[in-house]
DNA sequence: TAAAGCATGTAAGAGGTTACATGATTGG
DNA sequence: CCAATCATGTAACCTCTTACATGCTTTA
């Protein structure tokens, strides 16, 4: 997942490690430690997905290679209906890299997965035992899943170029 | 984090592995694979936090030991303002295990952390470059953080025994 | 009777965290 | 001048994922 994120960001242009880390944090995607970041860049470099050039000062600036682009394209095309919300958000961050024709499908598949989760969350909430904190947790899951679906619906409507009626 | 979850669930009474896994999924806390679950139970057993007794059929039923209770109490008392939402949800699932007097403090610390994140999310959104998907992502972060704060406020109001005025 | 769910487990490998180490530059 | 931020990296340790293995019971 980190590899996917790094490749996606490097698709926009050359960046150095520290910068990639900051961008990832700014996008609210994930907080990456240095002990995860630099070994990940080395892995990608070793397998030829990215290439390093010396930048200013201590900087090692990386750019994506054709092999890296191919790998990125494989990764963004695959779709696991059970993927965690963090993975989907990452996919969304790079949705613009997908041909326009296939974007709607990604959003709709996600919607179907969320509707399934909502059903499950409602079932768990209806069967709720436990104290009020446990019940609050189950209720939260129902509400936040509903909110996520509503948000996706706006994205889908925008993708269709339609004004949302509310 | 898995250890914390397992100890917390075993505080409610003896359970076997498969059952713990299901409960964790039902609470929407996390999906645990068997390759994570059983080694975790072994770890806890080895360090004396839980003890196994043979149950029906192939079942190994675990119960928490006094050492395990002590460990759980250490874990639930610590509070990292930067903790991920998954960790907080877990903490909430076990909030009833904390003396009533300290529950409000946990919720209020969480609220302060979320307010900080909201500020950061708004700043990132205001500075937003990128395509519409990136912007949608940043907007999502703002809205979902706001929703989380509103939800926490209801919890806090409930904790104070006050009716929410809306 | 076949599939799905119950129930436990191991092994290899990948990847992460935390702590440590270094050193330049910038801002209060 | 001191702290923070920039910038990169290593090493030990831990834990998770994935795949495999086994075998029973329930349900369609």
């Amino acid at each position: 997942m980190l590899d996917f994120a790094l490749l996606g960001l490097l698709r926009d242009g050359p960046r150095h490690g520290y910068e990639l880390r900051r961008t990832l944090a700014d996008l609210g995607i994930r907080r990456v430690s240095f002990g995860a970041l630099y070994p990940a860049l080395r892995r990608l470099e070793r397998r030829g997905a990215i290439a390093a050039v010396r930048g200013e000062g201590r900087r090692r600036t990386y750019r994506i290679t054709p092999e890296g682009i191919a790998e990125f394209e494989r990764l963004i095309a695959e779709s696991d209906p059970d993927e965690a919300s963090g993975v989907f958000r990452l996919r969304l961050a790079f949705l613009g890299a997908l041909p326009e024709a296939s974007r709607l499908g990604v959003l709709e598949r996600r919607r179907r997965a969320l509707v399934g989760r909502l059903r499950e969350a409602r079932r768990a909430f209806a069967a709720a035992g436990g104290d009020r904190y446990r019940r609050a947790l189950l209720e939260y899951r129902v509400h936040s899943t509903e909110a996520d679906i509503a948000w996706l619906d706006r994205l889908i409507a925008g993708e269709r170029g339609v004004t949302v009626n509310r």
Side-chain angles (χ1 to χ4, degrees), chain A residues 48-145:
Chain A
I50 64 177
V53 275
R54 291 225 70 85
E56 309 165 39
R58 293 195 65 178
R59 289 184 187 165
R60 299 193 90 211
T61 301
Y62 295 95
R63 55 173 185 75
I64 195 165
T65 62
E67 293 79 43
I69 291 174
E71 184 177 341
F72 173 79
E73 258 143 34
R74 260 197 316 280
L75 289 170
I76 200 173
E78 72 184 32
S79 79
D80 172 15
D82 248 16
E83 75 188 357
S85 87
V87 183
F88 174 73
R89 273 184 277 130
L90 191 53
R91 199 176 295 286
L92 185 68
F94 301 132
L95 202 61
L98 222 52
E100 261 199 278
S102 35
R103 294 179 198 167
L104 193 58
V106 171
L107 300 177
E108 284 173 339
R109 266 195 300 285
R110 180 63 180 177
R111 193 184 194 282
R112 277 194 293 279
L114 286 183
V115 167
R117 281 191 203 184
L118 179 58
R119 194 175 10 250
E120 211 198 302
R122 284 202 175 123
R123 181 192 55 70
F125 180 53
D131 63 18
R132 58 181 155 143
Y133 304 110
R134 302 260 173 108
R135 285 197 306 274
L137 198 56
L138 294 169
E139 200 189 358
Y140 172 81
R141 187 150 63 114
V142 171
H143 289 159
S144 65
T145 308

Side-chain angles (χ1 to χ4, degrees), chain A residues 7 41-51 63-69 71:
Chain A
L7 289 173
L41 288 169
R42 287 301 161 93
R43 274 200 306 275
L44 287 165
E45 200 184 354
R46 244 184 297 132
R47 81 170 95 117
I50 64 177
R63 55 173 185 75
I64 195 165
T65 62
E67 293 79 43
I69 291 174
E71 184 177 341

